[in-house]
Amino acid sequence: MAADQKSTTRRRLELALRRLQHGKMQSSSDDRISIAAVAREAGVSNATIHNRYPDIAERVRALHVKASRFRTKAMPDTMDILHRKLREAHKEIDQLKNDLVKSQSINLRLTRENELLHSPLLKQK
């Protein structure tokens, strides 16, 4: 590979990595930083990065680990929110079940009263 072509490819890889870091990708891909994403963004193969630009591959791996740690740290907050919402939903379900039992009881009582009130009328006919 000629020196000019290699420096052009390096420049494309650097720019692709920067775009991925800042979420301004030109290609339509996921926003995770990976060697495949950098290669796709720069228009080269994964092997090119692995074989010819190991320093860039190492930077990508380091950024990937850093991003993974950030996502992992954000998870407990998300899990806490989801657990709170689940508890609230369970409380609402319990309340609705209680309301349903009360409504069924009232409905049964009214049905019996209605039958009692209609029975003398039926006997008169």
Side-chain angles (χ1 to χ4, degrees):
M1 178 180 274
D4 285 349
Q5 188 178 2
K6 189 167 183 172
S7 71
T8 301
T9 303
R10 176 175 288 284
R11 181 77 178 137
R12 286 179 24 212
L13 289 168
E14 296 279 351
L15 290 173
L17 184 56
R18 195 168 296 149
R19 283 193 301 271
L20 281 168
Q21 281 180 281
H22 297 290
K24 298 181 179 177
M25 296 78 66
Q26 292 177 345
S27 64
S28 59
S29 63
D30 64 4
D31 59 349
R32 294 182 186 211
I33 296 175
S34 66
I35 291 176
V38 172
R40 191 172 36 251
E41 186 70 19
V44 299
S45 69
N46 296 1
T48 299
I49 296 174
H50 286 291
N51 298 330
R52 297 190 181 142
Y53 303 95
D55 59 315
I56 291 178
E58 192 55 40
R59 282 177 44 209
V60 171
R61 285 185 202 100
L63 288 169
H64 180 76
V65 168
K66 184 178 177 182
S68 294
R69 285 185 186 144
F70 177 75
R71 281 192 301 273
T72 303
K73 285 181 182 177
M75 266 190 212
D77 294 339
T78 304
M79 293 299 289
D80 289 343
I81 291 168
L82 291 175
H83 282 299
R84 182 176 44 78
K85 286 183 178 183
L86 184 61
R87 279 192 305 273
E88 290 171 3
H90 281 297
K91 285 180 184 177
E92 184 177 357
I93 289 169
D94 290 341
Q95 182 60 48
L96 290 170
K97 284 180 180 178
N98 287 335
D99 291 348
L100 178 63
V101 168
K102 287 178 186 176
S103 295
Q104 288 173 331
S105 175
I106 292 169
N107 192 24
L108 182 61
R109 184 177 51 81
L110 290 174
T111 301
R112 286 185 182 154
E113 282 181 23
N114 195 12
E115 288 172 355
L116 288 172
L117 291 172
H118 278 87
S119 65
L121 293 175
L122 292 175
K123 289 180 184 177
Q124 289 178 359
K125 289 183 180 183

